[in-house]
Amino acid sequence: MSSHRNRKPEAALVQDRKKFELKEWAVFIPTFTTALSLAWQVGALLPAGGFAFFSISDHLVSSARALPMALSTSSGVAVLYAVVLSGRPPQELIRFATWATRCGLVLTVLVFAAISLSRYLQTELPFETTALIAVGSIMGAGLLIKRSADGNLMLFVVFCLLTMLSTSVATDLTRMRLTQIDKREIPLASITGKSGVSKGYILMSGERGILVYTPGGAVAFVRSDEVTMIDYPLPKRFH
């Protein structure tokens, strides 16, 4: 009789623990998605600047373009954590951290070799910043988790590192796009205003105006009340 009475609190405790874990994921996934989207928006605008020309609401609306990528990433992290890492003993986490540290060390050597070769050949290496942050993140995460084998700590580290990578990838993509604009490889938009027609690449738009990049490295902010029409051609892959 006493054993039967003890089973109910244990079952209730397990059920409450599952509910609590579900509540954690319900908070984690939207928070992680929002952080990745905002980090992407910051990275996309970082090479050209112009943050002060837009309000917080403009940045929030502009970050919505990264929501599909951010939601897929946060959901993937949650699934991988629940399937692969959840409930693992500390010994397995330490072995995983050791493996990640060794892989990060090898990748670091390869990345620095590639950067040195690109400097020697006087060529630009795409996604250089992202590669450096990625290999540094892998090594740092491995060393940190190796000292404290905790699944929650690993999840927090992944949260921070992927947010940093979101910013660096967006920054490198913008830099690559600006280089293509300077080489006339990307069609420019025709912006019709009160003073005439000008051509440029629209980096961001908001309630106050639009931020335009023109070949040669010039960035201009055009007020909304001065623009009457924007005409831009679709990329060739949509034709």
Side-chain angles (χ1 to χ4, degrees):
M1 188 71 177
S2 60
S3 61
H4 179 70
R5 291 179 179 177
N6 292 333
R7 289 178 183 175
K8 289 184 178 181
E10 292 178 359
L13 180 61
V14 172
Q15 187 175 4
D16 291 341
R17 187 176 299 172
K18 289 182 179 179
K19 289 182 179 180
F20 180 72
E21 290 179 354
L22 181 60
K23 292 178 181 179
E24 284 183 334
W25 288 121
V27 174
F28 174 81
I29 293 178
T31 304
F32 194 18
T33 301
T34 304
L36 289 176
S37 301
L38 292 175
W40 184 276
Q41 166 62 17
V42 171
L45 201 59
L46 192 60
F51 291 95
F53 295 115
F54 302 97
S55 62
I56 296 179
S57 60
D58 291 334
H59 289 290
L60 290 175
V61 172
S62 184
S63 66
R65 59 182 176 176
L67 280 178
M69 176 274 299
L71 182 58
S72 301
T73 302
S74 58
S75 301
V77 169
V79 171
L80 287 176
Y81 179 83
V83 174
V84 179
L85 299 177
S86 181
R88 297 284 182 177
Q91 293 79 6
E92 292 189 12
L93 294 178
I94 292 176
R95 286 197 295 269
F96 177 78
T98 303
W99 176 82
T101 305
R102 293 174 179 175
C103 290
L105 181 60
V106 174
L107 291 174
T108 301
V109 174
L110 295 176
V111 168
F112 274 103
I115 294 175
S116 301
L117 181 60
S118 66
R119 294 291 187 273
Y120 176 77
L121 298 177
Q122 296 182 353
T123 58
E124 184 177 355
L125 184 66
F127 297 100
E128 180 178 305
T129 305
T130 300
L132 290 174
I133 292 179
V135 295
S137 300
I138 294 174
M139 288 190 61
L143 293 174
L144 180 61
I145 296 170
K146 190 175 180 180
R147 295 188 60 181
S148 177
D150 185 7
N152 293 331
L153 175 62
M154 182 178 293
L155 189 62
F156 176 74
V157 171
V158 170
F159 180 99
C160 296
L161 297 182
L162 287 182
T163 303
M164 292 170 55
L165 283 176
S166 178
T167 303
S168 63
V169 171
T171 301
D172 287 338
L173 281 175
T174 300
R175 288 175 178 171
M176 184 174 63
R177 191 172 292 114
L178 297 182
T179 302
Q180 293 175 340
I181 293 173
D182 291 336
K183 296 179 180 179
R184 311 289 179 172
E185 296 177 356
I186 295 181
L188 302 178
S190 298
I191 305 170
T192 304
K194 298 178 181 179
S195 58
V197 180
S198 60
K199 287 187 172 293
Y201 180 81
I202 299 177
L203 294 169
M204 182 176 172
S205 60
E207 296 181 359
R208 301 176 184 176
I210 58 176
L211 192 66
V212 182
Y213 178 86
T214 55
V219 180
F221 181 77
V222 183
R223 294 177 57 89
S224 299
D225 54 2
E226 297 179 357
V227 179
T228 58
M229 184 180 67
I230 299 176
D231 181 20
Y232 59 93
L234 290 175
K236 293 181 180 180
R237 62 179 180 270
F238 294 110
H239 290 173

